[in-house]
Amino acid sequence: QKADEMRKRITRIILRIAAAAFGLAILTLLAITIVFYVQYRLDDRPISLPAPRGPHPVGRMLVDWTDTHRKRELMVFIWYPTTDDASGKPCEYLPGNWGELNAQNLLPIPAKRLQQIQTHSLENAPMAGGPMPLLILVPGMGRNPVHYSTIAEDLASFGYVVMGVAPTGSVRPVVFSDGRVDWGTEYDPSTDDIETAH
């Protein structure tokens, strides 16, 4: 009988400890949730990219080109200095269907923020006159040229034309001017470099 009472007492102690631990875990989780929610509300605003430092306002256009030598269609983002009196709407960070497709697999908050990123380029603004040095931007590892928008806008504001190529087959996705989508393939460093070498 004493052994049974001892077992029951030990069981009650274990249950109390388990209940206390569970309650503490719930309180901790609740506290973390509240902290994240408060921080999100404090930061609940669109992201604005750093402003270009140069003297020229910046335009951006998206063009659909075909490389006849390689028989490859390419979408190219072009940042360039525009005229001082240029007006128009700012470019979407990822325009149209590009943004929608990139946001598909994200959680709601990051997806919303991705589509709200504010650029400093004017869509299809007229290009400033005169000769301008040209820079070719080819991102690696499947990245989209717009992920380098801050650098491209800054260079364009100092008088450069920056052509950012979205490599068909590696950028995921590439949206062509007629609405076609090329999802490409994931970059695999263990094989892609070998295949390129051959």
PDB file of all heavy atoms in Angstrom, residues 50 76 79 90 92 117 129 134-135 140 142 159 161 168 197:
ATOM      1  N   PRO A  50      17.263  52.572 -51.661  1.00  0.00           N
ATOM      2  CA  PRO A  50      18.063  53.789 -51.485  1.00  0.00           C
ATOM      3  C   PRO A  50      18.039  54.641 -52.746  1.00  0.00           C
ATOM      4  O   PRO A  50      18.089  54.128 -53.868  1.00  0.00           O
ATOM      5  CB  PRO A  50      19.473  53.250 -51.204  1.00  0.00           C
ATOM      6  CG  PRO A  50      19.252  51.874 -50.671  1.00  0.00           C
ATOM      7  CD  PRO A  50      18.035  51.349 -51.377  1.00  0.00           C
ATOM      8  N   VAL A  76      15.583  41.803 -71.264  1.00  0.00           N
ATOM      9  CA  VAL A  76      16.669  42.658 -70.783  1.00  0.00           C
ATOM     10  C   VAL A  76      16.084  43.893 -70.105  1.00  0.00           C
ATOM     11  O   VAL A  76      15.278  44.626 -70.704  1.00  0.00           O
ATOM     12  CB  VAL A  76      17.596  43.089 -71.950  1.00  0.00           C
ATOM     13  CG1 VAL A  76      18.750  43.940 -71.420  1.00  0.00           C
ATOM     14  CG2 VAL A  76      18.118  41.867 -72.704  1.00  0.00           C
ATOM     15  N   TRP A  79      18.476  50.204 -67.469  1.00  0.00           N
ATOM     16  CA  TRP A  79      18.457  51.426 -66.663  1.00  0.00           C
ATOM     17  C   TRP A  79      19.320  52.465 -67.383  1.00  0.00           C
ATOM     18  O   TRP A  79      20.388  52.133 -67.907  1.00  0.00           O
ATOM     19  CB  TRP A  79      19.033  51.181 -65.274  1.00  0.00           C
ATOM     20  CG  TRP A  79      18.203  50.301 -64.382  1.00  0.00           C
ATOM     21  CD1 TRP A  79      17.277  50.708 -63.471  1.00  0.00           C
ATOM     22  CD2 TRP A  79      18.245  48.860 -64.279  1.00  0.00           C
ATOM     23  NE1 TRP A  79      16.740  49.620 -62.811  1.00  0.00           N
ATOM     24  CE2 TRP A  79      17.322  48.470 -63.295  1.00  0.00           C
ATOM     25  CE3 TRP A  79      18.989  47.869 -64.932  1.00  0.00           C
ATOM     26  CZ2 TRP A  79      17.114  47.151 -62.938  1.00  0.00           C
ATOM     27  CZ3 TRP A  79      18.785  46.541 -64.591  1.00  0.00           C
ATOM     28  CH2 TRP A  79      17.852  46.196 -63.608  1.00  0.00           C
ATOM     29  N   PRO A  90       6.651  55.502 -61.446  1.00  0.00           N
ATOM     30  CA  PRO A  90       7.833  54.701 -61.088  1.00  0.00           C
ATOM     31  C   PRO A  90       7.655  53.259 -61.532  1.00  0.00           C
ATOM     32  O   PRO A  90       6.546  52.734 -61.554  1.00  0.00           O
ATOM     33  CB  PRO A  90       7.891  54.809 -59.558  1.00  0.00           C
ATOM     34  CG  PRO A  90       7.060  55.999 -59.216  1.00  0.00           C
ATOM     35  CD  PRO A  90       5.994  56.088 -60.271  1.00  0.00           C
ATOM     36  N   GLU A  92       7.587  49.274 -61.430  1.00  0.00           N
ATOM     37  CA  GLU A  92       7.416  48.220 -60.447  1.00  0.00           C
ATOM     38  C   GLU A  92       8.750  47.497 -60.290  1.00  0.00           C
ATOM     39  O   GLU A  92       9.462  47.291 -61.269  1.00  0.00           O
ATOM     40  CB  GLU A  92       6.365  47.219 -60.912  1.00  0.00           C
ATOM     41  CG  GLU A  92       4.960  47.750 -60.990  1.00  0.00           C
ATOM     42  CD  GLU A  92       4.012  46.672 -61.468  1.00  0.00           C
ATOM     43  OE1 GLU A  92       3.482  45.926 -60.612  1.00  0.00           O
ATOM     44  OE2 GLU A  92       3.813  46.555 -62.680  1.00  0.00           O
ATOM     45  N   ILE A 117       7.858  46.956 -53.182  1.00  0.00           N
ATOM     46  CA  ILE A 117       9.168  47.619 -53.170  1.00  0.00           C
ATOM     47  C   ILE A 117       9.138  48.827 -54.110  1.00  0.00           C
ATOM     48  O   ILE A 117       8.707  48.721 -55.261  1.00  0.00           O
ATOM     49  CB  ILE A 117      10.283  46.642 -53.587  1.00  0.00           C
ATOM     50  CG1 ILE A 117      10.452  45.563 -52.516  1.00  0.00           C
ATOM     51  CG2 ILE A 117      11.605  47.373 -53.796  1.00  0.00           C
ATOM     52  CD1 ILE A 117      11.449  44.479 -52.875  1.00  0.00           C
ATOM     53  N   GLY A 129      20.141  62.623 -74.010  1.00  0.00           N
ATOM     54  CA  GLY A 129      20.971  62.632 -75.212  1.00  0.00           C
ATOM     55  C   GLY A 129      22.455  62.533 -74.897  1.00  0.00           C
ATOM     56  O   GLY A 129      22.889  62.620 -73.743  1.00  0.00           O
ATOM     57  N   LEU A 134      28.344  52.018 -71.600  1.00  0.00           N
ATOM     58  CA  LEU A 134      27.415  50.906 -71.452  1.00  0.00           C
ATOM     59  C   LEU A 134      28.005  49.845 -70.533  1.00  0.00           C
ATOM     60  O   LEU A 134      29.160  49.437 -70.696  1.00  0.00           O
ATOM     61  CB  LEU A 134      27.104  50.292 -72.819  1.00  0.00           C
ATOM     62  CG  LEU A 134      26.301  48.987 -72.836  1.00  0.00           C
ATOM     63  CD1 LEU A 134      24.893  49.209 -72.290  1.00  0.00           C
ATOM     64  CD2 LEU A 134      26.249  48.411 -74.251  1.00  0.00           C
ATOM     65  N   LEU A 135      27.206  49.375 -69.594  1.00  0.00           N
ATOM     66  CA  LEU A 135      27.600  48.288 -68.705  1.00  0.00           C
ATOM     67  C   LEU A 135      26.621  47.130 -68.886  1.00  0.00           C
ATOM     68  O   LEU A 135      25.409  47.334 -68.939  1.00  0.00           O
ATOM     69  CB  LEU A 135      27.579  48.741 -67.238  1.00  0.00           C
ATOM     70  CG  LEU A 135      28.546  49.867 -66.847  1.00  0.00           C
ATOM     71  CD1 LEU A 135      28.292  50.305 -65.414  1.00  0.00           C
ATOM     72  CD2 LEU A 135      29.985  49.419 -67.018  1.00  0.00           C
ATOM     73  N   GLY A 140      24.402  36.035 -61.646  1.00  0.00           N
ATOM     74  CA  GLY A 140      24.698  34.609 -61.547  1.00  0.00           C
ATOM     75  C   GLY A 140      23.750  33.896 -60.601  1.00  0.00           C
ATOM     76  O   GLY A 140      22.914  34.510 -59.937  1.00  0.00           O
ATOM     77  N   GLY A 142      21.136  32.165 -60.943  1.00  0.00           N
ATOM     78  CA  GLY A 142      19.697  32.238 -61.151  1.00  0.00           C
ATOM     79  C   GLY A 142      19.027  33.488 -60.640  1.00  0.00           C
ATOM     80  O   GLY A 142      17.803  33.531 -60.518  1.00  0.00           O
ATOM     81  N   GLY A 159      25.174  58.595 -65.317  1.00  0.00           N
ATOM     82  CA  GLY A 159      25.362  58.685 -66.756  1.00  0.00           C
ATOM     83  C   GLY A 159      25.608  57.379 -67.475  1.00  0.00           C
ATOM     84  O   GLY A 159      25.866  57.385 -68.682  1.00  0.00           O
ATOM     85  N   VAL A 161      24.536  53.569 -68.976  1.00  0.00           N
ATOM     86  CA  VAL A 161      23.436  52.704 -69.381  1.00  0.00           C
ATOM     87  C   VAL A 161      23.756  51.304 -68.870  1.00  0.00           C
ATOM     88  O   VAL A 161      24.836  50.770 -69.148  1.00  0.00           O
ATOM     89  CB  VAL A 161      23.258  52.677 -70.916  1.00  0.00           C
ATOM     90  CG1 VAL A 161      22.193  51.665 -71.314  1.00  0.00           C
ATOM     91  CG2 VAL A 161      22.894  54.057 -71.436  1.00  0.00           C
ATOM     92  N   THR A 168      17.626  33.409 -69.893  1.00  0.00           N
ATOM     93  CA  THR A 168      16.578  32.407 -70.073  1.00  0.00           C
ATOM     94  C   THR A 168      17.128  31.020 -69.743  1.00  0.00           C
ATOM     95  O   THR A 168      18.172  30.624 -70.230  1.00  0.00           O
ATOM     96  CB  THR A 168      16.077  32.426 -71.531  1.00  0.00           C
ATOM     97  OG1 THR A 168      15.682  33.759 -71.861  1.00  0.00           O
ATOM     98  CG2 THR A 168      14.903  31.484 -71.705  1.00  0.00           C
ATOM     99  N   ALA A 197      31.362  23.613 -69.348  1.00  0.00           N
ATOM    100  CA  ALA A 197      32.713  23.424 -69.845  1.00  0.00           C
ATOM    101  C   ALA A 197      32.728  22.576 -71.123  1.00  0.00           C
ATOM    102  O   ALA A 197      33.562  22.753 -71.984  1.00  0.00           O
ATOM    103  CB  ALA A 197      33.582  22.743 -68.771  1.00  0.00           C
TER     104      ALA A 197
END
